[in-house]
């Protein structure tokens, strides 16, 4: 008869716990999953979240229910995600504004990286700089030249103070050594009206609402902000190609969970989302939103978020923008 020792008993209990845990992970998910984000229903973030949720629901065999929780520039939803139980049934969808709020808020009730499990990026798109068709500014070099020669600063519209578009302009103007007066509006539509009325020199906004007017000649595209040319507008040059190598400011979205999400669940979600982004139907759907599919590892996404937080924190300090 084998004598039972404390070490033997504890070892047996530990092995049993690991086996139960592995079985639980293998069975996940066994019910609906909540996917929250911090912006309004029907907006670009919400529509993108629903597209990804629909695809992941099919792959996981359980419904992913998108729940908009708008308020305080997305920080309410992020705080809720940080407090959620890390069991795989509460997930978050964060846009690039997540990094902006981390830079613009003096304090937050969560750490924007450490209090979350970073699962993976899914979507990316550049911003487009547009003007009215008969403006003398046609390219990025034209914009820089005009800013240096005009007695009054150029007027650049953005859909809100403290937005990624606002910070992009502050960042670019310092790199280029020019002065631009940033004019914030309550949404891109108001700024677009002012550009078309020739009361602004240009507007910076996501491409989804601008591609049609650009292709029809209602607007003229000056440049894009990504590291490479934007596929739907192949003739429009980037800021990087216009004399600023390495310049890249994009808007992104991706999947997160609460901190300490089990590694097997994180790995499966990352694998499934990367596989989803290769499906022709999903690629077409993302393109229709003016975006590009962009996958990668959790570490890739974590590094992107950290880089953006560091960049916007410096831009805010250099520009003297008061933190909230």
């Amino acid at each position: 008869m084998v004598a039972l020792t404390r070490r033997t008993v504890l070892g047996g209990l530990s092995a049993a716990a690991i086996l139960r845990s592995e079985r639980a992970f293998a069975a996940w998910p066994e019910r609906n999953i909540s996917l929250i984000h911090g912006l309004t229903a029907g907006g670009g973030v919400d529509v993108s979240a629903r597209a990804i949720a629909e695809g992941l629901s099919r792959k996981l065999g359980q419904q992913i229910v998108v729940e908009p929780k708008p308020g305080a520039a997305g920080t309410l939803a992020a705080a809720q995600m940080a407090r959620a139980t890390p069991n795989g049934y509460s997930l978050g969808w964060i846009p690039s504004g997540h990094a902006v709020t981390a830079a613009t808020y003096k304090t937050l009730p969560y750490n924007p990286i450490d209090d979350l499990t970073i699962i993976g990026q899914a979507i990316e798109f550049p911003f487009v700089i547009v003007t009215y068709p008969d403006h003398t500014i046609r390219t990025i070099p034209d914009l820089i030249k005009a800013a240096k020669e005009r007695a009054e600063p150029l007027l650049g519209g953005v859909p809100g103070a403290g937005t990624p578009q606002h910070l992009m302009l502050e960042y670019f103007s310092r790199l280029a050594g020019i002065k631009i007066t940033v004019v914030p509006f309550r949404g891109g539509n108001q700024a677009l009206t002012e550009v078309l009325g020739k009361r602004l020199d240009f507007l910076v906004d996501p491409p989804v609402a601008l591609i049609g007017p650009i292709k029809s000649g209602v607007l003229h595209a000056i440049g894009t902000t990504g590291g490479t040319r934007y596929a739907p507008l192949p003739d429009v040059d980037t800021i990087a190609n216009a004399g600023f190598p390495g310049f890249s400011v994009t808007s992104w979205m991706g999947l997160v969970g609460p901190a300490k999400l089990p590694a097997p669940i994180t790995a499966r979600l990352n694998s499934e989302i990367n596989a989803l982004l290769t499906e022709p139907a999903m690629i077409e759907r993302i393109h229709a939103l003016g975006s590009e599919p962009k996958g990668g590892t959790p570490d890739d996404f974590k590094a992107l978020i950290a880089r953006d937080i560091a960049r916007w924190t410096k831009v805010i300090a250099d520009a003297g923008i008061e933190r909230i």
Side-chain angles (χ1 to χ4, degrees), residues 35 47-57 64 93 122-123 255 273 276-277 282 285-286:
L35 179 63
V47 173
S48 298
R50 292 180 190 279
I52 297 299
E54 184 179 308
L56 285 180
S57 296
I64 298 180
W93 181 252
I123 286 173
L255 199 64
I273 202 167
L276 179 65
L277 296 176
M282 181 54 63
R285 191 167 180 183
I286 291 173

PDB file of all heavy atoms in Angstrom, residues 35 47-57 64 93 122-123 255 273 276-277 282 285-286:
ATOM      1  N   LEU A  35     -19.943  42.329 -25.845  1.00  0.00           N
ATOM      2  CA  LEU A  35     -18.857  43.138 -26.414  1.00  0.00           C
ATOM      3  C   LEU A  35     -19.239  44.602 -26.263  1.00  0.00           C
ATOM      4  O   LEU A  35     -20.137  45.099 -26.947  1.00  0.00           O
ATOM      5  CB  LEU A  35     -18.641  42.798 -27.890  1.00  0.00           C
ATOM      6  CG  LEU A  35     -17.539  43.595 -28.606  1.00  0.00           C
ATOM      7  CD1 LEU A  35     -16.177  43.317 -27.977  1.00  0.00           C
ATOM      8  CD2 LEU A  35     -17.508  43.266 -30.087  1.00  0.00           C
ATOM      9  N   VAL A  47     -20.558  50.229 -35.827  1.00  0.00           N
ATOM     10  CA  VAL A  47     -20.766  49.430 -37.045  1.00  0.00           C
ATOM     11  C   VAL A  47     -19.610  48.448 -37.241  1.00  0.00           C
ATOM     12  O   VAL A  47     -19.818  47.282 -37.599  1.00  0.00           O
ATOM     13  CB  VAL A  47     -20.924  50.349 -38.267  1.00  0.00           C
ATOM     14  CG1 VAL A  47     -20.962  49.539 -39.557  1.00  0.00           C
ATOM     15  CG2 VAL A  47     -22.194  51.186 -38.144  1.00  0.00           C
ATOM     16  N   SER A  48     -18.387  48.902 -36.989  1.00  0.00           N
ATOM     17  CA  SER A  48     -17.226  48.014 -37.115  1.00  0.00           C
ATOM     18  C   SER A  48     -17.274  46.901 -36.078  1.00  0.00           C
ATOM     19  O   SER A  48     -16.975  45.735 -36.379  1.00  0.00           O
ATOM     20  CB  SER A  48     -15.935  48.822 -36.956  1.00  0.00           C
ATOM     21  OG  SER A  48     -15.818  49.803 -37.965  1.00  0.00           O
ATOM     22  N   ALA A  49     -17.645  47.251 -34.850  1.00  0.00           N
ATOM     23  CA  ALA A  49     -17.751  46.242 -33.792  1.00  0.00           C
ATOM     24  C   ALA A  49     -18.765  45.172 -34.166  1.00  0.00           C
ATOM     25  O   ALA A  49     -18.540  43.971 -33.946  1.00  0.00           O
ATOM     26  CB  ALA A  49     -18.147  46.904 -32.473  1.00  0.00           C
ATOM     27  N   ARG A  50     -19.883  45.588 -34.756  1.00  0.00           N
ATOM     28  CA  ARG A  50     -20.928  44.624 -35.123  1.00  0.00           C
ATOM     29  C   ARG A  50     -20.471  43.716 -36.261  1.00  0.00           C
ATOM     30  O   ARG A  50     -20.826  42.523 -36.304  1.00  0.00           O
ATOM     31  CB  ARG A  50     -22.215  45.362 -35.478  1.00  0.00           C
ATOM     32  CG  ARG A  50     -22.846  46.046 -34.276  1.00  0.00           C
ATOM     33  CD  ARG A  50     -24.125  46.802 -34.586  1.00  0.00           C
ATOM     34  NE  ARG A  50     -24.514  47.612 -33.442  1.00  0.00           N
ATOM     35  CZ  ARG A  50     -25.167  47.150 -32.374  1.00  0.00           C
ATOM     36  NH1 ARG A  50     -25.514  45.872 -32.342  1.00  0.00           N
ATOM     37  NH2 ARG A  50     -25.479  47.939 -31.372  1.00  0.00           N
ATOM     38  N   ALA A  51     -19.694  44.251 -37.181  1.00  0.00           N
ATOM     39  CA  ALA A  51     -19.177  43.416 -38.274  1.00  0.00           C
ATOM     40  C   ALA A  51     -18.257  42.331 -37.724  1.00  0.00           C
ATOM     41  O   ALA A  51     -18.371  41.150 -38.096  1.00  0.00           O
ATOM     42  CB  ALA A  51     -18.434  44.286 -39.283  1.00  0.00           C
ATOM     43  N   ILE A  52     -17.341  42.710 -36.838  1.00  0.00           N
ATOM     44  CA  ILE A  52     -16.421  41.734 -36.259  1.00  0.00           C
ATOM     45  C   ILE A  52     -17.170  40.766 -35.343  1.00  0.00           C
ATOM     46  O   ILE A  52     -16.902  39.553 -35.349  1.00  0.00           O
ATOM     47  CB  ILE A  52     -15.297  42.448 -35.482  1.00  0.00           C
ATOM     48  CG1 ILE A  52     -14.454  43.313 -36.432  1.00  0.00           C
ATOM     49  CG2 ILE A  52     -14.428  41.446 -34.751  1.00  0.00           C
ATOM     50  CD1 ILE A  52     -13.761  42.540 -37.543  1.00  0.00           C
ATOM     51  N   ALA A  53     -18.124  41.273 -34.570  1.00  0.00           N
ATOM     52  CA  ALA A  53     -18.887  40.414 -33.658  1.00  0.00           C
ATOM     53  C   ALA A  53     -19.665  39.353 -34.430  1.00  0.00           C
ATOM     54  O   ALA A  53     -19.746  38.193 -34.008  1.00  0.00           O
ATOM     55  CB  ALA A  53     -19.838  41.264 -32.814  1.00  0.00           C
ATOM     56  N   GLU A  54     -20.224  39.746 -35.555  1.00  0.00           N
ATOM     57  CA  GLU A  54     -20.987  38.786 -36.357  1.00  0.00           C
ATOM     58  C   GLU A  54     -20.097  37.654 -36.840  1.00  0.00           C
ATOM     59  O   GLU A  54     -20.453  36.474 -36.783  1.00  0.00           O
ATOM     60  CB  GLU A  54     -21.624  39.499 -37.542  1.00  0.00           C
ATOM     61  CG  GLU A  54     -22.514  38.620 -38.396  1.00  0.00           C
ATOM     62  CD  GLU A  54     -23.144  39.398 -39.538  1.00  0.00           C
ATOM     63  OE1 GLU A  54     -23.746  40.459 -39.270  1.00  0.00           O
ATOM     64  OE2 GLU A  54     -23.014  38.947 -40.702  1.00  0.00           O
ATOM     65  N   GLY A  55     -18.907  37.997 -37.323  1.00  0.00           N
ATOM     66  CA  GLY A  55     -17.980  36.979 -37.797  1.00  0.00           C
ATOM     67  C   GLY A  55     -17.473  36.086 -36.679  1.00  0.00           C
ATOM     68  O   GLY A  55     -17.394  34.859 -36.823  1.00  0.00           O
ATOM     69  N   LEU A  56     -17.128  36.668 -35.535  1.00  0.00           N
ATOM     70  CA  LEU A  56     -16.639  35.872 -34.419  1.00  0.00           C
ATOM     71  C   LEU A  56     -17.737  34.999 -33.827  1.00  0.00           C
ATOM     72  O   LEU A  56     -17.469  33.885 -33.362  1.00  0.00           O
ATOM     73  CB  LEU A  56     -16.058  36.781 -33.333  1.00  0.00           C
ATOM     74  CG  LEU A  56     -14.692  37.406 -33.616  1.00  0.00           C
ATOM     75  CD1 LEU A  56     -14.258  38.285 -32.449  1.00  0.00           C
ATOM     76  CD2 LEU A  56     -13.636  36.331 -33.884  1.00  0.00           C
ATOM     77  N   SER A  57     -18.978  35.475 -33.848  1.00  0.00           N
ATOM     78  CA  SER A  57     -20.098  34.659 -33.367  1.00  0.00           C
ATOM     79  C   SER A  57     -20.177  33.360 -34.156  1.00  0.00           C
ATOM     80  O   SER A  57     -20.381  32.268 -33.601  1.00  0.00           O
ATOM     81  CB  SER A  57     -21.416  35.431 -33.492  1.00  0.00           C
ATOM     82  OG  SER A  57     -21.434  36.568 -32.659  1.00  0.00           O
ATOM     83  N   ILE A  64     -22.226  36.934 -29.993  1.00  0.00           N
ATOM     84  CA  ILE A  64     -21.540  38.065 -29.367  1.00  0.00           C
ATOM     85  C   ILE A  64     -22.454  39.277 -29.501  1.00  0.00           C
ATOM     86  O   ILE A  64     -22.775  39.706 -30.615  1.00  0.00           O
ATOM     87  CB  ILE A  64     -20.174  38.335 -30.019  1.00  0.00           C
ATOM     88  CG1 ILE A  64     -19.254  37.126 -29.837  1.00  0.00           C
ATOM     89  CG2 ILE A  64     -19.531  39.582 -29.425  1.00  0.00           C
ATOM     90  CD1 ILE A  64     -17.881  37.287 -30.438  1.00  0.00           C
ATOM     91  N   TRP A  93     -14.293  46.528 -27.149  1.00  0.00           N
ATOM     92  CA  TRP A  93     -13.873  46.960 -28.489  1.00  0.00           C
ATOM     93  C   TRP A  93     -13.380  48.387 -28.341  1.00  0.00           C
ATOM     94  O   TRP A  93     -14.150  49.278 -27.995  1.00  0.00           O
ATOM     95  CB  TRP A  93     -15.060  46.872 -29.440  1.00  0.00           C
ATOM     96  CG  TRP A  93     -14.801  47.257 -30.868  1.00  0.00           C
ATOM     97  CD1 TRP A  93     -15.231  48.386 -31.492  1.00  0.00           C
ATOM     98  CD2 TRP A  93     -14.108  46.493 -31.858  1.00  0.00           C
ATOM     99  NE1 TRP A  93     -14.834  48.382 -32.804  1.00  0.00           N
ATOM    100  CE2 TRP A  93     -14.148  47.222 -33.061  1.00  0.00           C
ATOM    101  CE3 TRP A  93     -13.453  45.260 -31.844  1.00  0.00           C
ATOM    102  CZ2 TRP A  93     -13.549  46.775 -34.234  1.00  0.00           C
ATOM    103  CZ3 TRP A  93     -12.867  44.810 -33.011  1.00  0.00           C
ATOM    104  CH2 TRP A  93     -12.917  45.562 -34.192  1.00  0.00           C
ATOM    105  N   ALA A 122      -7.871  44.740 -35.220  1.00  0.00           N
ATOM    106  CA  ALA A 122      -8.690  44.197 -36.303  1.00  0.00           C
ATOM    107  C   ALA A 122      -8.804  45.134 -37.499  1.00  0.00           C
ATOM    108  O   ALA A 122      -8.920  44.675 -38.636  1.00  0.00           O
ATOM    109  CB  ALA A 122     -10.097  43.872 -35.791  1.00  0.00           C
ATOM    110  N   ILE A 123      -8.787  46.437 -37.246  1.00  0.00           N
ATOM    111  CA  ILE A 123      -9.109  47.412 -38.291  1.00  0.00           C
ATOM    112  C   ILE A 123      -8.153  48.592 -38.200  1.00  0.00           C
ATOM    113  O   ILE A 123      -7.717  48.979 -37.110  1.00  0.00           O
ATOM    114  CB  ILE A 123     -10.572  47.897 -38.126  1.00  0.00           C
ATOM    115  CG1 ILE A 123     -11.538  46.802 -38.567  1.00  0.00           C
ATOM    116  CG2 ILE A 123     -10.848  49.178 -38.907  1.00  0.00           C
ATOM    117  CD1 ILE A 123     -12.988  47.117 -38.291  1.00  0.00           C
ATOM    118  N   LEU A 255      -9.750  44.326 -30.216  1.00  0.00           N
ATOM    119  CA  LEU A 255     -10.435  43.572 -29.175  1.00  0.00           C
ATOM    120  C   LEU A 255      -9.579  43.492 -27.912  1.00  0.00           C
ATOM    121  O   LEU A 255      -8.364  43.254 -27.981  1.00  0.00           O
ATOM    122  CB  LEU A 255     -10.711  42.159 -29.698  1.00  0.00           C
ATOM    123  CG  LEU A 255     -11.768  41.316 -29.004  1.00  0.00           C
ATOM    124  CD1 LEU A 255     -13.149  41.949 -29.153  1.00  0.00           C
ATOM    125  CD2 LEU A 255     -11.779  39.904 -29.602  1.00  0.00           C
ATOM    126  N   ILE A 273      -9.826  35.909 -34.722  1.00  0.00           N
ATOM    127  CA  ILE A 273      -9.977  37.214 -35.359  1.00  0.00           C
ATOM    128  C   ILE A 273      -9.009  37.359 -36.531  1.00  0.00           C
ATOM    129  O   ILE A 273      -9.354  37.924 -37.577  1.00  0.00           O
ATOM    130  CB  ILE A 273      -9.820  38.363 -34.334  1.00  0.00           C
ATOM    131  CG1 ILE A 273     -10.490  39.633 -34.868  1.00  0.00           C
ATOM    132  CG2 ILE A 273      -8.373  38.637 -33.994  1.00  0.00           C
ATOM    133  CD1 ILE A 273     -10.663  40.705 -33.831  1.00  0.00           C
ATOM    134  N   LEU A 276     -10.542  35.413 -39.330  1.00  0.00           N
ATOM    135  CA  LEU A 276     -11.700  36.141 -39.847  1.00  0.00           C
ATOM    136  C   LEU A 276     -11.283  37.232 -40.825  1.00  0.00           C
ATOM    137  O   LEU A 276     -11.940  37.453 -41.857  1.00  0.00           O
ATOM    138  CB  LEU A 276     -12.474  36.753 -38.670  1.00  0.00           C
ATOM    139  CG  LEU A 276     -13.719  37.571 -38.994  1.00  0.00           C
ATOM    140  CD1 LEU A 276     -14.796  36.695 -39.621  1.00  0.00           C
ATOM    141  CD2 LEU A 276     -14.251  38.234 -37.720  1.00  0.00           C
ATOM    142  N   LEU A 277     -10.184  37.892 -40.525  1.00  0.00           N
ATOM    143  CA  LEU A 277      -9.733  39.017 -41.348  1.00  0.00           C
ATOM    144  C   LEU A 277      -9.170  38.592 -42.705  1.00  0.00           C
ATOM    145  O   LEU A 277      -8.870  39.439 -43.545  1.00  0.00           O
ATOM    146  CB  LEU A 277      -8.672  39.822 -40.589  1.00  0.00           C
ATOM    147  CG  LEU A 277      -9.154  40.503 -39.310  1.00  0.00           C
ATOM    148  CD1 LEU A 277      -7.998  41.179 -38.593  1.00  0.00           C
ATOM    149  CD2 LEU A 277     -10.270  41.501 -39.589  1.00  0.00           C
ATOM    150  N   MET A 282     -15.449  39.235 -45.300  1.00  0.00           N
ATOM    151  CA  MET A 282     -15.145  40.172 -44.224  1.00  0.00           C
ATOM    152  C   MET A 282     -14.252  41.303 -44.724  1.00  0.00           C
ATOM    153  O   MET A 282     -14.436  42.466 -44.350  1.00  0.00           O
ATOM    154  CB  MET A 282     -14.478  39.445 -43.053  1.00  0.00           C
ATOM    155  CG  MET A 282     -14.133  40.340 -41.869  1.00  0.00           C
ATOM    156  SD  MET A 282     -15.557  41.296 -41.220  1.00  0.00           S
ATOM    157  CE  MET A 282     -16.640  39.957 -40.677  1.00  0.00           C
ATOM    158  N   ARG A 285     -16.431  43.687 -46.457  1.00  0.00           N
ATOM    159  CA  ARG A 285     -17.249  44.446 -45.510  1.00  0.00           C
ATOM    160  C   ARG A 285     -16.432  45.542 -44.824  1.00  0.00           C
ATOM    161  O   ARG A 285     -16.904  46.669 -44.639  1.00  0.00           O
ATOM    162  CB  ARG A 285     -17.827  43.489 -44.468  1.00  0.00           C
ATOM    163  CG  ARG A 285     -18.897  44.101 -43.582  1.00  0.00           C
ATOM    164  CD  ARG A 285     -19.635  43.035 -42.818  1.00  0.00           C
ATOM    165  NE  ARG A 285     -20.659  43.608 -41.970  1.00  0.00           N
ATOM    166  CZ  ARG A 285     -21.424  42.892 -41.154  1.00  0.00           C
ATOM    167  NH1 ARG A 285     -21.274  41.567 -41.103  1.00  0.00           N
ATOM    168  NH2 ARG A 285     -22.339  43.483 -40.396  1.00  0.00           N
ATOM    169  N   ILE A 286     -15.205  45.217 -44.461  1.00  0.00           N
ATOM    170  CA  ILE A 286     -14.339  46.212 -43.827  1.00  0.00           C
ATOM    171  C   ILE A 286     -13.985  47.319 -44.811  1.00  0.00           C
ATOM    172  O   ILE A 286     -13.967  48.507 -44.461  1.00  0.00           O
ATOM    173  CB  ILE A 286     -13.079  45.530 -43.259  1.00  0.00           C
ATOM    174  CG1 ILE A 286     -13.465  44.644 -42.070  1.00  0.00           C
ATOM    175  CG2 ILE A 286     -12.044  46.571 -42.834  1.00  0.00           C
ATOM    176  CD1 ILE A 286     -12.325  43.791 -41.551  1.00  0.00           C
TER     177      ILE A 286
END
